[in-house]
Amino acid sequence: MSSSTQARSTKPQLLVRNARIADIPAIRALVAKVYQSAGMGTYSAAMLRGQINNFAEGQFVAEYQGEIVGYCATFLISGQFALKPHTWAEISGGGYASRHDPDGDYLYGMEVCVDPDYRGLRIGQRLYDARKKLARAWDAKGIVFGGRLPTLARRVRRFDGPEHYLEEARASRQRDPVLAFQMRNGFEVLGLLPDYLKEDKESLGYAVHLLWRNPNAPDEQEERRAKSYGARLPDTVRVATVQYMQRRVGSFDEFIDLVRYFVDVTADYRADFVVFPELFSLQLLSMEDQELSPAESIEALTKYTTPLKEALSEMAVRYNINIIGGSHPTRMANGRVENICYVCLRGGEVHEQPKIHPTPNEVYWWNIEGGDSLNAINTDCGPIGVLICYDSEFPELGRHLVDQGANIIFVPFCTDERQSYLRVRYCCQARAVENQCYVALSGNVGNLPNVHNMDIQYAQSCILTPCDFPFARDGIAADTTPNVETVAFADLRLEALRAARNSGTVQNLKDRRHDLYTTVWRER
């Protein structure tokens, strides 16, 4: 037998592994297929991104011959929440696993689903086993979840309500295949959870509150061993913000040389990220001999979109730094003009984040339209997000990024006078406090007299933190002198965010009232 034949014959046909960001489309398709008959739909890509980013070790897929045929989502949470009555939306943070607590003493199972075409392969059992193995590895006291009752709607008329049905099924006088499977796996029934998932019509919204006790869990007095959570990230992330001077340039190459200078300098200081201001590429319009109309300006800029992306990406790789490329008005394939931030990572990947809310001036001068996607971006320093200027003034957007796992939010901005700047500054400080995350701002200074809507600029770029003991006294890790071209640096500790979120003076993320309010994002 040849070595290549041996390799093929020994390659596993079915394996259970941790889910990856690249698996999201396949997971969405799987969940949609599994719950099609129940009419419950699937997770959004943002929800799955949040589940993976918030607790990578807890998300599993079953892969059979290269196809994803099972999914299992899990996170850590305190027993004081998991063992009390709750709904699925409350406990899971609206499906993002955003209530994951690295110090939680129970694993919570928010999802297990198996492709119905592959149920003969005991995939559900494999996923349950992987979850139990995880509980043992983390010294969790047990696993808690709400189990579906998919035959309840069809059979409840023969019983005196859901409680009676559960009592009979628990005593094996009524066959419920799902509950029977869970009890065979060592789960005990704690009770019934009404209104657990109202969309689950087959279960009439009910779920069985189930608990598996970890027989190897340490005693209460035994010190729990230290745990690493998520992929191993650097202890400190160095962020640089460029307060960029707008001035006349004679060519595209001259503009790129100016940008390259700041990338080179910040890379020499071993920054992990450098952020440039919103619309900093409008400097290219200063090359024109005459003042252009707004429509002519957009067309003139469009031809620079591809070379700008290529130049930023080349610099990110060459200088080993992640570049948050300000923003650039871009003509989209459908003819729309959007204000796009190009995020170029040092591994070569290029991500695009559109501005969601164009300002009245952007709409008036350039007919810019808002984008419709807001995604956390995975980097070698953990997930990040971008809110372009005005977007930082909408609390829902920052919360959506943090629900997806973002620890740092970058805000390229462009403001003409102090009041406009302070709106952005104060809102960014609020985003840092309410989301217990870092926020880095970068703005333009100087002027471009012949460019519409870029006559004057005001900026005081800064890097902001939550306001609590582990952070800078005033919630400001670094800032700049107003209206002077310069660079500011700050070393940001991701561990400080984790500590603040789980044991800080206030715990904004943990203390959200998921039973009262939620924000629902519609994917297009």
Side-chain angles (χ1 to χ4, degrees), residues 366-409:
W366 298 308
N367 197 30
I368 286 178
E369 299 183 57
D372 55 22
S373 63
L374 183 66
N375 299 325
I377 298 169
N378 286 75
T379 76
D380 56 354
C381 298
I384 65 159
V386 175
L387 295 177
I388 302 174
C389 197
Y390 193 30
D391 285 345
S392 67
E393 300 179 30
F394 294 82
E396 302 87 350
L397 274 62
R399 180 59 50 84
H400 186 53
L401 289 172
V402 171
D403 276 344
Q404 296 176 63
N407 295 310
I408 307 171
I409 296 176

Side-chain angles (χ1 to χ4, degrees), residues 224-243:
R224 297 180 66 195
R225 60 194 170 103
K227 300 181 172 58
S228 61
Y229 57 99
R232 178 61 181 166
L233 298 176
D235 295 328
T236 301
V237 177
R238 180 163 295 174
V239 172
T241 177
V242 176
Q243 189 156 284

